[in-house]
Amino acid sequence: MNAKKKPNRRTHVIQKSQTFLDDFRHQLAHLDALPQLTILGLITGLAAAGIIIAFRLLMEFPLIIMLSGDSENFESLPLHWRLSLPIIGAITLIGLSYLFKPEHRQVSVGHVIERINNHQSRLPIQNWCLQFFGGIIALVSGQSMGREGPAVHLGAGAASQLGQWLKLPNNSLRTLVACGVASAIAASFNTPMAGVIFAMEVVLMEYAIIGFVPVMLASVTGAMAAQYVFGSDPVFTISAMKINTLQELPIIIVAGFIVALFAATVIRTQLWFNNKQHWPLPVRFLLAGTTTGVIALFLPQILGLGYDTIESAMLGQIGFSLLLAILFSKILATAISTGLGLPGGIIGPQLFIGALLGGAIGVIAHLFFPENASSPSFYVMLGMAAMMASVINAPLAALITVLELTYNPHIIFPTMLIIVVSVVCTRQLFHCQGIFIAQLEANGFQFSGGPIQQALDRVGVRSVMDISFQRCPTNLPAATLKKSLELHPKWLVIDVNEEKQLLAAADVAAYLSSVSTDENDNISLNEIPGRKWQIKPISQQASLLQAQNMLRKNNAEALYVERQTSHLLSPVLGIITLDQIDNFYST
């Protein structure tokens, strides 16, 4: 007796848990699934933060050992290591890259944006692994790159893998990926506000109210976890400073134009090297590593993240000629490294470039307008924000990033002004769009856009499918068929071998009322007059945009939503028609 009950009890528990998950997935398919997304945001924030903490520890620990206790002090390296370290890193990255297929070598922020727009936020685990280990190697070897690119990819990839493992609807994966990005940025730089804005403005490229709460919770979770491990001190510790007088505004406007000129130069230089992606991988990586190493012989400040150099510029400890030398060298080294495909980030270098450019502008402004111009350190912060905003086309994310990195609220007004001038000039005067989109388009990636497509992509098929249906075999007794019609379904889903047909229940009811049948008579649904649609399955995880594209591709009017997560529950969840989709975005 007991031996027979155990399997039944176990089956019941499994079926109950599958039903719970199925209900949870159904709720996530709706546009207003805020409680469910908030729970997922917390879980995703913890997962992404844990990965970023591990990434930072694995990156910083070797650097602390190599660089005399300071992970930024590449200047302490002897000459032969300045040259050889980036080259050794490039060779190691070549060997690592050949462990992966070419399609799995796409990494960093651009890869995340492309997968969100064209692949329903599904990020492959292979690219993620390459980014994790490749990012560590690139940063430890002093390549002229930042850690925010790997952080974004690692956070987004962790969130995507979690969503795929739980088989969540694709529309919820977008928000989940944004949660992973926000947590990763917050954990990497201790900037929770910037994490939220960056995820919405740069990665999702939209501001959806439903997404803010879970993304904010994920970002706060990431920042708390990182502060527990690394402390809560800001990245740059400088005294607060503010604009001297409103007569300085024309200087800031001119500075914005200069930043735009350099931002356009950065974008076009990187795109030029990006167009050399057809070169063999060893040639590209060795060229990037060798160029960085040769420049580092004379200017070791270009190696690594360079936050110590930024702080030196803020404190006015770097002379004008050295500022310019490091500035142009950093532009070249970063453009080669990122353009030729090394697995690192571009935003950190833009903060570096903007800081040195701002410092140089500040020196000139103070020289010609000593009474009106603020100190060069003030322009360092303005340059950081304006360069980041112009290169990645993210004005609000840049403003919040610099605000949180420096803890200086007095710079908000002048920073907003210089960002407006630099972004407008970069886009309208120099005709340069954000580097991530420009790079992806140069590589042949296309994006599906438009407000209607975005609206359809935010909703799952389960939220609008018609569940008023009954499944029937092709042949069945009249009594069974009448009993099915007593439930007043709209549709009959007919199982024909491994395929399915759709028949309106009203046509069946009309037929039965027009003929005389006995309870035991066998009815063939194929012989009933009425339109029979051959319907194809669509995954329960699909969005309305995917359903619309599938219907149009097959020149069909209906699909059935298929459950793929359980053998104990019915595989048919509901019916979705083109009219239902059209009615959704027309109301």
Side-chain angles (χ1 to χ4, degrees):
M1 295 289 291
N2 292 336
K4 293 181 179 179
K5 289 182 179 179
K6 286 182 179 179
N8 293 335
R9 189 181 300 117
R10 182 171 179 271
T11 301
H12 175 72
V13 171
I14 293 174
Q15 186 171 4
K16 192 171 182 179
S17 63
Q18 289 180 343
T19 302
F20 171 78
L21 280 174
D22 197 61
D23 291 341
F24 189 72
R25 297 183 188 108
H26 183 76
Q27 293 163 357
L28 284 171
H30 290 74
L31 190 61
D32 57 349
L34 182 58
Q36 295 79 12
L37 288 173
T38 302
I39 294 171
L40 288 173
L42 175 62
I43 297 172
T44 302
L46 288 171
I51 290 167
I52 296 304
I53 289 171
F55 179 81
R56 287 184 61 178
L57 291 174
L58 290 172
M59 178 197 72
E60 293 178 4
F61 184 69
L63 290 175
I64 290 173
I65 295 175
M66 287 192 306
L67 304 178
S68 304
D70 184 355
S71 61
E72 293 286 331
N73 191 21
F74 283 94
E75 293 85 350
S76 65
L77 288 174
L79 287 177
H80 65 280
W81 276 113
R82 295 181 193 177
L83 173 64
S84 59
L85 186 60
I87 297 175
I88 293 172
I91 294 172
T92 308
L93 286 171
I94 292 170
L96 177 65
S97 298
Y98 274 115
L99 297 177
F100 298 85
K101 296 179 180 180
E103 61 268 24
H104 294 145
R105 296 173 190 164
Q106 293 291 329
V107 295
S108 202
V109 181
H111 170 70
V112 174
I113 295 173
E114 193 273 328
R115 297 299 298 190
I116 288 175
N117 282 271
N118 294 338
H119 298 277
Q120 297 296 319
S121 303
R122 296 174 176 271
L123 278 73
I125 188 66
Q126 296 91 336
N127 301 68
W128 188 93
C129 291
L130 176 60
Q131 178 67 91
F132 186 87
F133 295 105
I136 291 173
I137 294 169
L139 294 171
V140 169
S141 61
Q143 307 298 337
S144 181
M145 313 183 84
R147 69 170 180 242
E148 76 295 324
V152 169
H153 188 174
L154 295 176
S160 179
Q161 288 299 316
L162 174 64
Q164 292 179 61
W165 177 62
L166 293 174
K167 294 182 170 53
L168 301 182
N170 291 338
N171 65 297
S172 65
L173 278 183
R174 289 176 61 88
T175 304
L176 210 61
V177 166
C179 291
V181 170
S183 176
I185 291 292
S188 187
F189 300 99
N190 192 22
T191 54
M193 287 177 60
V196 174
I197 301 302
F198 186 93
M200 308 300 284
E201 186 176 35
V202 178
V203 178
L204 291 187
M205 293 183 285
E206 64 181 28
Y207 288 101
I209 301 300
I210 190 67
F212 265 108
V213 172
V215 172
M216 287 174 64
L217 180 58
S219 188
V220 169
T221 303
M224 289 174 58
Q227 288 180 16
Y228 181 79
V229 177
F230 300 106
S232 58
D233 294 333
V235 175
F236 304 113
T237 54
I238 59 172
S239 58
M241 56 188 70
K242 57 184 178 180
I243 188 171
N244 280 343
T245 172
L246 293 180
Q247 294 178 352
E248 195 174 358
L249 294 182
I251 302 175
I252 295 175
I253 292 173
V254 174
F257 173 81
I258 296 173
V259 171
L261 176 62
F262 275 79
T265 302
V266 166
I267 294 171
R268 288 176 177 167
T269 304
Q270 179 167 333
L271 289 177
W272 190 88
F273 284 106
N274 180 80
N275 290 333
K276 312 305 176 188
Q277 291 274 352
H278 60 277
W279 290 356
L281 186 143
V283 173
R284 291 188 281 117
F285 281 22
L286 279 175
L287 176 59
T290 303
T291 302
T292 301
V294 170
I295 295 175
L297 283 173
F298 307 96
L299 298 167
Q301 294 88 343
I302 70 159
L303 294 175
L305 302 177
Y307 289 166
D308 57 338
T309 303
I310 294 177
E311 187 148 2
S312 296
M314 288 180 173
L315 298 173
Q317 297 173 350
I318 303 178
F320 180 75
S321 57
L322 184 57
L323 279 173
L324 292 181
I326 300 174
L327 169 65
F328 287 106
S329 299
K330 187 70 172 181
I331 290 175
L332 176 61
T334 301
I336 292 178
S337 299
T338 55
L340 294 181
L342 267 65
I346 191 175
I347 300 175
Q350 301 319 308
L351 293 173
F352 185 104
I353 292 168
L356 298 186
L357 178 59
I361 293 172
V363 171
I364 297 174
H366 202 265
L367 180 64
F368 287 96
F369 307 98
E371 296 181 356
N372 293 333
S374 299
S375 67
S377 303
F378 174 76
Y379 286 91
V380 168
M381 290 187 289
L382 296 186
M384 290 169 61
M387 181 61 71
M388 175 182 170
S390 301
V391 171
I392 69 173
N393 191 31
L396 188 55
L399 174 65
I400 299 301
T401 297
V402 173
L403 179 64
E404 288 191 296
L405 287 176
T406 61
Y407 280 17
N408 185 357
H410 302 291
I411 64 168
I412 293 178
F413 162 57
T415 303
M416 291 175 66
L417 176 61
I418 194 172
I419 284 177
V420 168
V421 175
S422 62
V423 169
V424 170
C425 289
T426 301
R427 298 201 65 177
Q428 302 300 320
L429 188 61
F430 299 111
H431 307 290
C432 292
Q433 57 181 326
I435 185 62
F436 299 128
I437 301 301
Q439 193 171 18
L440 286 171
E441 291 181 349
N443 291 336
F445 294 107
Q446 301 295 324
F447 296 96
S448 57
I452 293 179
Q453 287 85 348
Q454 290 179 0
L456 293 177
D457 210 26
R458 288 197 293 264
V459 181
V461 290
R462 294 188 61 155
S463 65
V464 298
M465 67 183 182
D466 193 340
I467 60 173
S468 177
F469 71 93
Q470 287 291 311
R471 290 181 63 196
C472 301
T474 306
N475 299 286
L476 72 168
T480 304
L481 182 57
K482 290 178 181 179
K483 189 174 182 180
S484 297
L485 294 178
E486 288 175 359
L487 300 175
H488 304 290
K490 183 177 180 181
W491 305 101
L492 294 184
V493 178
I494 308 171
D495 293 316
V496 184
N497 298 324
E498 295 183 358
E499 296 186 349
K500 294 181 176 16
Q501 291 181 344
L502 192 65
L503 180 64
D507 292 338
V508 179
Y511 171 77
L512 291 178
S513 63
S514 64
V515 297
S516 177
T517 58
D518 187 76
E519 293 285 321
N520 296 322
D521 286 348
N522 198 48
I523 303 295
S524 174
L525 294 178
N526 285 333
E527 297 178 359
I528 293 179
R531 182 178 179 185
K532 300 176 184 64
W533 298 347
Q534 292 291 131
I535 53 175
K536 294 184 178 295
I538 188 168
S539 169
Q540 62 173 345
Q541 298 170 259
S543 67
L544 288 187
L545 181 61
Q546 288 177 283
Q548 185 187 63
N549 291 338
M550 189 172 180
L551 286 167
R552 290 176 175 173
K553 180 180 179 181
N554 294 294
N555 195 25
E557 294 186 30
L559 302 166
Y560 73 90
V561 180
E562 184 180 39
R563 178 191 281 115
Q564 303 141 316
T565 54
S566 174
H567 298 293
L568 301 175
L569 303 175
S570 171
V572 181
L573 284 168
I575 306 299
I576 186 163
T577 66
L578 193 58
D579 288 340
Q580 287 174 288
I581 299 174
D582 292 339
N583 291 335
F584 173 81
Y585 65 75
S586 63
T587 55

